[in-house]
Amino acid sequence: MKILVAVKRAIDYNVKARPKSDGSGVELANVKMSMNPFDEIAVEEAIRIQEAGIAAEIVAVSVGPKQCQETLRTAMAMGADRGILVETDEEVQPLAVAKILKALVEKEAPGIILLGKQAIDDDSNQTGQMLAALLKWGQATFACGVEFAGEELKVNREVDGGTQSISVKLPAIITVDLRLNEPRYVKLPNIMKAKKKQLDIFSPAELEVDITPRLKLIKAEEPPVRVGGVTVADVDELVDKLRNEAKVI
Amino acid sequence: MAVLVLAEHDNDSLNPATLTAISAATQLSNTIEVLVAGSDCAGAAAATAAVTGVSKVIVADAAHYGNALAENVAPLVVELSSSYSHVLAASTTDGKNIMPRVAALLDVAQISDIVAVDSESIFKRPIYAGNIIATVESSDRIKVITVRTTAFDPVSSEGGSAAIENIDAGADMGLSRYLAQDLTKSDRPELAAADIIVSGGRGVGSSENFAIIEELADKLGAAVGASRAAVDAGYVPNDYQVGQTGKVVAPGLYIAIGISGAIQHLAGMKDSKVIVAINKDEEAPIFGVADYGLVGDLFKEVPNMVAALDK
């Protein structure tokens, strides 16, 4: 079985994003970019499934500008066997990403597709579910545990009140949540090896996918700034303030 | 045109999160119809019919709708959607699971996690962990939307008397099956609905030490939350997590204990009315958003606070 794993180049986890001064978008010039943290967990899970002897090949896919090649090299240094970049400098929204991935699924015929549950830039949490819809496959979202049982997957999911387990028929989509695993550190020799792995590049047009955005950004602005308050000397003062000033207890 | 809201429920009762989705819907239309897809869900349907502002409750009752599987519920929503300008659901784990599937089947974008309705096609939503508020315009014929529950005041669960219409169920797609769930059992209020939340972070140090947090929470009748760091460290289950990738909360009082205040945590709680931070590191970013900060050792200060509350 082949696994397709989707990886997004996103703002680094530790960077605080700011809007451009004219409000026309997000300031990303000279900002550190990394693989979306949830996608790292997806890559790690793919590798563990391969290490368990269930999958033969892992193909990492990214959609975006040329620099996404670095993201794919990271996935390959972790252990993905090859990479595919669908290169475009245009904005690609989740529905368009799902359509691109569907076109690649038709070429590659994977048994499982792993994705992060959301990207930490647009916080959409859509692509995996949309891809499952377009492929008419089952979807196991927010996964915190994955087990194979014949032609089915048993997946534990993070839900609002705790966890839920479902069974999904293969082929299936899995979107991963943070407790699923801890991604491995990339070792230097593997970074060297990854440079030699196959990386194919397509354009959205070659895949016959229309990526025209459906949502237009009208304005990007900072939320109202919360101003820090006062420092209290001890718990007695704190309790007094909460009771008599804020009146919340 | 009418607006459709997908109800979240446990077949017997309506999840209060749906009341906030209905609240957002009232800003879009005077005609709000709510779909209750469930199994033996007459209780949930009756509860929905009593909600203020609901014009009609549409009920699809079949075994394969009993556990809100996206593969089965999404096609049902799509089937109904042509009569509506908007389809909304609360941005809960069920809403997040089902609605993008609906959107893709309709070949439209989803507008995730809206916090404001500017017009029938323009919405505000937080991106980049809430550090940016994006105003976006949808050009799609049907707008598929999830609603951030903390951003809208819930409509009343009483006072309505909507008609209930039963419709035929769609097929069981047979792609997935519900097996079981393991819900955190607690006598404390739910995080999403609590007036007071006491949260612990990595500074709490261990699962056992979380008892200190729980003791304060119980003294205040509060829910217990945690930072991602505390969840990652295994101190508490993931459903305690407050933040960008966990739950977004906005209680009247949020007490952050041993939480440094990473961007991702602030994204989940900075809309709380009053924020208290207790941390030994006076440089911790959490103090930048706290109304009341106490610099000190949580292992001393939290038990002291419990004692002070008795005075």
Side-chain angles (χ1 to χ4, degrees), chain A residues 124-161:
Chain A
S124 288
N125 194 335
Q126 299 174 7
T127 305
Q129 297 88 314
M130 287 184 153
L131 178 59
L134 298 177
L135 291 168
K136 301 185 173 65
W137 290 9
Q139 66 187 52
T141 52
F142 325 142
C144 57
V146 177
E147 264 176 63
F148 285 81
E151 289 303 297
E152 293 193 329
L153 278 175
K154 189 185 161 205
V155 179
N156 271 323
R157 306 178 56 232
E158 305 279 15
V159 294
D160 285 333

Side-chain angles (χ1 to χ4, degrees), chain A residues 15 27-33:
Chain A
V15 177
E27 187 55 75
L28 292 175
N30 303 315
V31 166
K32 188 183 178 204
M33 305 289 278

Side-chain angles (χ1 to χ4, degrees), chain B residues 215-278:
Chain B
E215 191 186 355
L216 177 58
D218 290 342
K219 180 62 72 180
L220 292 165
V224 175
S227 67
R228 173 171 171 174
V231 172
D232 274 353
Y235 304 165
V236 286
N238 188 63
D239 55 289
Y240 283 42
Q241 191 198 156
V242 172
Q244 180 185 17
T245 60
K247 292 195 174 75
V248 177
V249 297
L253 173 61
Y254 188 92
I255 305 179
I257 299 170
I259 291 176
S260 65
I263 301 168
Q264 292 78 15
H265 187 72
L266 301 184
M269 47 63 83
K270 68 181 173 185
D271 293 329
S272 304
K273 205 164 132 238
V274 174
I275 297 174
V276 170
I278 301 177

Side-chain angles (χ1 to χ4, degrees), chain B residues 79-141:
Chain B
E79 182 81 23
L80 291 168
S81 64
S82 61
S83 326
Y84 303 97
S85 57
H86 300 72
V87 183
L88 293 87
S91 193
T92 54
T93 41
D94 276 353
K96 290 172 185 172
N97 186 41
I98 296 168
M99 296 300 269
R101 195 163 177 119
V102 170
L105 291 173
L106 290 169
D107 193 29
V108 302
Q110 173 178 293
I111 308 139
S112 294
D113 239 358
I114 64 162
V115 295
V117 175
D118 283 7
S119 77
E120 59 181 36
S121 58
I122 300 179
F123 307 91
K124 285 191 167 63
R125 59 175 300 257
I127 55 175
Y128 290 83
N131 286 310
I132 294 174
I133 303 295
T135 305
V136 295
E137 180 168 20
S138 164
S139 53
D140 287 316
R141 64 200 154 83

Side-chain angles (χ1 to χ4, degrees), chain B residues 4-281:
Chain B
L4 182 68
V5 175
L6 176 64
E8 178 159 335
H9 61 87
D10 61 2
N11 297 310
D12 294 323
S13 59
L14 186 67
N15 186 316
T18 303
L19 302 175
T20 61
I22 293 170
S23 171
T26 59
Q27 298 184 29
L28 292 162
S29 174
N30 294 324
T31 309
I32 296 164
E33 304 188 357
V34 182
L35 171 62
V36 177
S39 173
D40 290 328
C41 58
T48 307
V51 173
T52 294
V54 175
S55 317
K56 185 163 85 175
V57 180
I58 300 165
V59 181
D61 198 322
H64 57 275
Y65 295 137
N67 296 291
L69 293 169
E71 296 86 340
N72 291 336
V73 176
L76 179 70
V77 178
V78 170
E79 182 81 23
L80 291 168
S81 64
S82 61
S83 326
Y84 303 97
S85 57
H86 300 72
V87 183
L88 293 87
S91 193
T92 54
T93 41
D94 276 353
K96 290 172 185 172
N97 186 41
I98 296 168
M99 296 300 269
R101 195 163 177 119
V102 170
L105 291 173
L106 290 169
D107 193 29
V108 302
Q110 173 178 293
I111 308 139
S112 294
D113 239 358
I114 64 162
V115 295
V117 175
D118 283 7
S119 77
E120 59 181 36
S121 58
I122 300 179
F123 307 91
K124 285 191 167 63
R125 59 175 300 257
I127 55 175
Y128 290 83
N131 286 310
I132 294 174
I133 303 295
T135 305
V136 295
E137 180 168 20
S138 164
S139 53
D140 287 316
R141 64 200 154 83
I142 300 177
K143 277 82 173 160
V144 174
I145 293 169
T146 60
V147 176
R148 179 166 286 202
T149 54
T150 54
F152 296 87
D153 290 328
V155 295
S156 170
S157 60
E158 295 167 1
S161 56
I164 296 178
E165 178 190 325
N166 289 287
I167 58 166
D168 292 339
D172 181 353
M173 306 303 282
L175 292 169
S176 60
R177 275 184 302 128
Y178 165 86
L179 298 175
Q181 61 185 5
D182 182 12
L183 300 183
T184 305
K185 287 181 192 68
S186 172
D187 296 331
R188 299 187 188 100
E190 276 191 55
L191 262 181
D195 289 330
I196 304 177
I197 295 173
V198 181
S199 274
R202 199 191 295 278
V204 177
S206 72
S207 184
E208 293 72 37
N209 289 349
F210 239 82
I212 300 174
I213 305 294
E214 288 165 352
E215 191 186 355
L216 177 58
D218 290 342
K219 180 62 72 180
L220 292 165
V224 175
S227 67
R228 173 171 171 174
V231 172
D232 274 353
Y235 304 165
V236 286
N238 188 63
D239 55 289
Y240 283 42
Q241 191 198 156
V242 172
Q244 180 185 17
T245 60
K247 292 195 174 75
V248 177
V249 297
L253 173 61
Y254 188 92
I255 305 179
I257 299 170
I259 291 176
S260 65
I263 301 168
Q264 292 78 15
H265 187 72
L266 301 184
M269 47 63 83
K270 68 181 173 185
D271 293 329
S272 304
K273 205 164 132 238
V274 174
I275 297 174
V276 170
I278 301 177
N279 202 300
K280 67 180 176 197
D281 174 11

Side-chain angles (χ1 to χ4, degrees), chain A residues 21-39:
Chain A
S21 53
D22 64 357
S24 64
V26 180
E27 187 55 75
L28 292 175
N30 303 315
V31 166
K32 188 183 178 204
M33 305 289 278
S34 300
M35 188 191 297
N36 177 42
F38 286 95
D39 301 349

Side-chain angles (χ1 to χ4, degrees), chain A residues 71-83:
Chain A
T71 317
L72 288 167
R73 293 291 173 201
T74 304
M76 289 189 276
M78 288 176 74
D81 297 296
R82 59 188 171 90

Side-chain angles (χ1 to χ4, degrees), chain A:
Chain A
M1 185 172 66
K2 193 189 282 184
I3 299 180
L4 207 67
V5 55
V7 295
K8 184 175 188 180
R9 179 175 179 266
I11 194 168
D12 187 80
Y13 195 70
N14 292 307
V15 177
K16 185 177 174 188
R18 290 195 165 75
K20 287 181 181 167
S21 53
D22 64 357
S24 64
V26 180
E27 187 55 75
L28 292 175
N30 303 315
V31 166
K32 188 183 178 204
M33 305 289 278
S34 300
M35 188 191 297
N36 177 42
F38 286 95
D39 301 349
E40 277 187 67
I41 297 170
V43 174
E44 175 65 35
E45 194 63 18
I47 298 165
R48 291 186 188 191
I49 294 169
Q50 189 183 43
E51 285 171 347
I54 296 162
E57 191 186 26
I58 300 167
V59 183
V61 181
S62 194
V63 180
K66 199 173 178 201
Q67 294 88 328
C68 294
Q69 288 191 24
E70 294 161 24
T71 317
L72 288 167
R73 293 291 173 201
T74 304
M76 289 189 276
M78 288 176 74
D81 297 296
R82 59 188 171 90
I84 299 173
L85 170 60
V86 180
E87 191 177 325
T88 173
D89 290 327
E90 304 298 314
E91 185 197 358
V92 196
Q93 294 180 347
L95 181 62
V97 175
K99 288 178 179 179
I100 286 170
L101 294 175
K102 176 176 184 256
L104 292 174
V105 168
E106 282 156 8
K107 279 177 187 284
E108 297 284 344
I112 294 175
I113 305 170
L114 283 157
L115 309 90
K117 76 164 179 178
Q118 81 190 63
I120 60 163
D121 48 13
D122 60 21
D123 285 329
S124 288
N125 194 335
Q126 299 174 7
T127 305
Q129 297 88 314
M130 287 184 153
L131 178 59
L134 298 177
L135 291 168
K136 301 185 173 65
W137 290 9
Q139 66 187 52
T141 52
F142 325 142
C144 57
V146 177
E147 264 176 63
F148 285 81
E151 289 303 297
E152 293 193 329
L153 278 175
K154 189 185 161 205
V155 179
N156 271 323
R157 306 178 56 232
E158 305 279 15
V159 294
D160 285 333
T163 59
Q164 180 194 67
S165 65
I166 60 167
S167 151
V168 200
K169 272 193 186 152
L170 290 170
I173 305 283
I174 306 172
T175 79
V176 307
D177 215 320
L178 70 97
R179 285 196 307 172
L180 181 60
N181 61 49
E182 199 155 312
R184 65 195 62 194
Y185 286 103
V186 174
K187 297 194 188 95
L188 189 61
N190 292 343
I191 295 175
M192 304 311 288
K193 270 189 229 163
K195 287 183 180 164
K196 298 199 180 83
K197 289 184 179 174
Q198 183 185 339
L199 198 166
D200 298 310
I201 299 174
F202 298 97
S203 69
E206 279 175 285
L207 299 172
E208 296 177 0
V209 177
D210 176 6
I211 61 165
T212 311
R214 303 296 186 83
L215 294 180
K216 187 172 90 182
L217 181 73
I218 294 177
K219 192 165 63 177
E221 61 193 322
E222 285 196 45
V225 178
R226 196 178 177 110
V227 186
V230 297
T231 303
V232 293
D234 52 35
V235 290
D236 291 323
E237 188 187 348
L238 176 60
V239 169
D240 176 62
K241 295 260 189 206
L242 292 177
R243 276 187 182 143
N244 303 315
E245 190 177 88
K247 297 187 167 63
V248 285
I249 57 171

